[in-house]
Amino acid sequence: MIVLLHASKKSFSALEVAVMFTLYEVAGAVTNLAAGEAIRCAVSTLTVAQMFAGIAKDLTKLGGKTVTKLVTPEGKNTRLFRLVSLLTGWKNSLKGVGYFLGSALLEVSYELALGFMIGLIVIALPFAIFGLSKDLGTAKKTNATFREIFVLDNWNLTCLSVARLFLFASRDFWFEVPLPFYLRSPDCNTLGPEYTCSPDADDSCLRGAYCDPSLDYCTNINTGGGCGGPGLNRVVVGAFLGGYIILYGQVQSWTPQLITGPLKQTPPNKMTEVFWGLVNVYPTLIAAIVFYASDVFINYYLPGMITWLLVIIISFAVIFAINSSIHSFLVVKYAASDKVAVSVGVYYMSNALGRLTGTLGSGFIYTYAGEEITSDSGYFAGTDARIGLAACFVAGTVSSLLAALITLKIKDDDGGLMCGGYTIIDDTKVLEEGTDFDESGQQAQP
């Protein structure tokens, strides 16, 4: 969040920022932008820094998910589901707090924001060094080789990994880069030579526009970010994204108790994920239609725009959190006990590739989907951010649908799909109300 909002202020385009974040997800990509020497240097430096941040983050996440399997007795799937959901949810909620803190501290200085982040890591290190068992992470037999890692003999885990790729691409096609750029972008209709301003007056330009002292009229400080958005300041943008992550994390934490538990879908199986995967299609589909066709966005009715954005973000956060929680449980469930780290590692590699696909793809789509906006006097304000974000929502919708369809290939139909206390449907039979299941999802004996 710190890097993204700072880069936006420095006039980096959405595509340039998306490229910066690629090595955060996977190391080895080579960046070469046809811009000036200073911009190429900045992009290269930040790309490498993001690579190391991504390595550290995923090593920590992999360790946490692996431990949940190792400390849970075999067959206790409900307990495992709750533990995985709690760990994953609180991790994401704290990440959301970081989004907000980063954007708020950035208003003071870029260096302060980075320094505060380093301080938090230093505080956490002693707990990791002295608080964890030395046996964790030690191979019982021999370390896995790369040849063993890429033996895809676990059909369910392979299908789930491919589905995970598209599931996370469905979010990052619109959330990671396009949404904050859209929220920051100014109204296209308040830019250009016809809108004169005074550099000494803070409010002489409206919502996100910048008074250029050399021109004395309102301009777009970042034409690469487009125009047509609400022009919110960085703290509010950070609150939008931070609020999403916090809500997402909390819903993840409480999915077994608040969602799948009341619906009798705990512990979940493949059909549970297919159901919620299809539900995940609707928020981005509705968002794409509204952005393309609604008068609220076409005619720039700001209160209605903010309302729609809140509804879309909250709805997607809740539904996506349920999907992610179920996914996180299923991967640990399907992983072999003696290969849990390898299995979880391959799965989260797919997670990172999905984020990479969504992040990089969103940069291209957001940048090139909308037409260039010019005023009557020929002033270039940037591309149409409304159309750019709408196209990103379409890409997210397609990814969600693909994730649900791929999940259908998983061989895990035990228990079928339960909807509350009424009926359970699977591939072969319909069971009457009142049928009981044990913790593994098998029908209990009378």
Side-chain angles (χ1 to χ4, degrees):
M1 183 78 332
I2 296 169
V3 172
L4 188 149
L5 292 177
H6 187 65
S8 173
K9 184 178 180 181
K10 295 297 183 182
S11 298
F12 287 74
S13 69
L15 177 57
E16 288 168 339
V17 172
V19 171
M20 282 182 203
F21 287 162
T22 56
L23 281 187
Y24 178 80
E25 307 300 343
V26 61
V30 179
T31 306
N32 183 18
L33 298 178
E37 188 63 33
I39 289 213
R40 284 202 300 272
C41 179
V43 169
S44 299
T45 301
L46 288 170
T47 301
V48 173
Q50 290 293 312
M51 176 189 73
F52 286 111
I55 292 172
K57 184 261 294 184
D58 282 328
L59 282 173
T60 305
K61 181 170 69 175
L62 174 60
K65 294 296 176 64
T66 301
V67 167
T68 58
K69 177 81 169 184
L70 298 177
V71 301
T72 304
E74 195 71 31
K76 298 293 184 180
N77 288 326
T78 298
R79 183 187 300 179
L80 180 60
F81 182 33
R82 289 175 177 170
L83 183 58
V84 170
S85 298
L86 191 67
L87 177 70
T88 306
W90 275 101
K91 180 263 294 183
N92 283 315
S93 289
L94 290 174
K95 184 168 70 174
V97 173
Y99 268 57
F100 177 75
L101 282 175
S103 59
L105 292 169
L106 195 56
E107 289 297 298
V108 180
S109 84
Y110 181 58
E111 291 75 17
L112 175 64
L114 292 176
F116 191 85
M117 179 176 66
I118 293 170
L120 290 175
I121 295 171
V122 171
I123 292 172
L125 276 176
F127 294 93
I129 295 171
F130 301 109
L132 297 177
S133 169
K134 298 294 189 295
D135 294 332
L136 292 175
T138 303
K140 293 182 178 179
K141 299 177 182 178
T142 58
N143 288 326
T145 64
F146 275 104
R147 180 177 295 180
E148 291 172 329
I149 289 174
F150 289 102
V151 173
L152 304 178
D153 57 350
N154 189 328
W155 173 257
N156 285 352
L157 194 62
T158 300
C159 290
L160 192 67
S161 297
V162 177
R164 182 77 167 191
L165 187 154
F166 287 103
L167 178 67
F168 268 75
S170 74
R171 180 191 67 180
D172 287 347
F173 262 121
W174 62 272
F175 179 79
E176 193 73 21
V177 174
L179 180 63
F181 268 80
Y182 175 81
L183 293 174
R184 288 282 290 154
S185 64
D187 183 357
C188 300
N189 299 318
T190 59
L191 305 173
E194 56 267 40
Y195 297 97
T196 59
C197 62
S198 171
D200 297 327
D202 294 335
D203 58 351
S204 56
C205 292
L206 299 176
R207 290 189 296 271
Y210 167 69
C211 187
D212 192 323
S214 63
L215 300 172
D216 290 333
Y217 63 76
C218 297
T219 65
N220 188 353
I221 193 172
N222 184 2
T223 56
C227 66
L232 304 178
N233 66 44
R234 288 184 292 185
V235 174
V236 177
V237 172
F240 255 91
L241 275 68
Y244 167 93
I245 296 292
I246 294 171
L247 174 62
Y248 163 64
Q250 287 302 295
V251 174
Q252 273 187 309
S253 297
W254 296 102
T255 290
Q257 291 88 343
L258 299 182
I259 311 296
T260 59
L263 292 175
K264 308 299 183 184
Q265 295 173 347
T266 297
N269 64 3
K270 149 223 170 157
M271 293 306 299
T272 310
E273 173 51 32
V274 170
F275 170 76
W276 286 105
L278 291 174
V279 175
N280 199 62
V281 171
Y282 286 96
T284 50
L285 176 61
I286 294 171
I289 294 172
V290 170
F291 267 72
Y292 271 122
S294 172
D295 288 339
V296 169
F297 287 93
I298 294 174
N299 297 325
Y300 201 85
Y301 178 61
L302 191 59
M305 291 167 59
I306 298 298
T307 301
W308 267 112
L309 283 167
L310 287 171
V311 170
I312 292 165
I313 292 171
I314 292 172
S315 300
F316 188 89
V318 171
I319 297 169
F320 187 77
I322 298 168
N323 277 278
S324 182
S325 184
I326 296 171
H327 257 253
S328 296
F329 162 72
L330 290 178
V331 65
V332 178
K333 175 187 175 183
Y334 297 150
S337 296
D338 59 342
K339 296 181 179 179
V340 60
V342 171
S343 300
V344 175
V346 170
Y347 173 77
Y348 278 105
M349 178 187 69
S350 299
N351 184 104
L353 289 176
R355 291 174 59 91
L356 171 68
T357 301
T359 300
L360 192 56
S362 70
F364 281 98
I365 295 172
Y366 182 82
T367 301
Y368 295 114
E371 296 181 356
E372 294 182 356
I373 302 295
T374 56
S375 66
D376 294 337
S377 56
Y379 170 73
F380 175 57
T383 56
D384 190 335
R386 175 180 66 88
I387 298 298
L389 186 56
C392 291
F393 280 128
V394 171
T397 301
V398 173
S399 293
S400 291
L401 183 60
L402 287 172
L405 294 177
I406 292 169
T407 307
L408 275 172
K409 298 296 183 181
I410 293 175
K411 299 173 182 178
D412 178 19
D413 297 313
D414 291 340
L417 175 65
M418 181 171 269
C419 299
Y422 294 96
T423 59
I424 300 171
I425 304 171
D426 64 15
D427 291 340
T428 59
K429 57 192 173 183
V430 177
L431 302 177
E432 295 181 357
E433 178 181 2
T435 304
D436 294 324
F437 289 83
D438 59 25
E439 283 216 338
S440 67
Q442 300 286 347
Q443 182 178 358
Q445 296 299 317

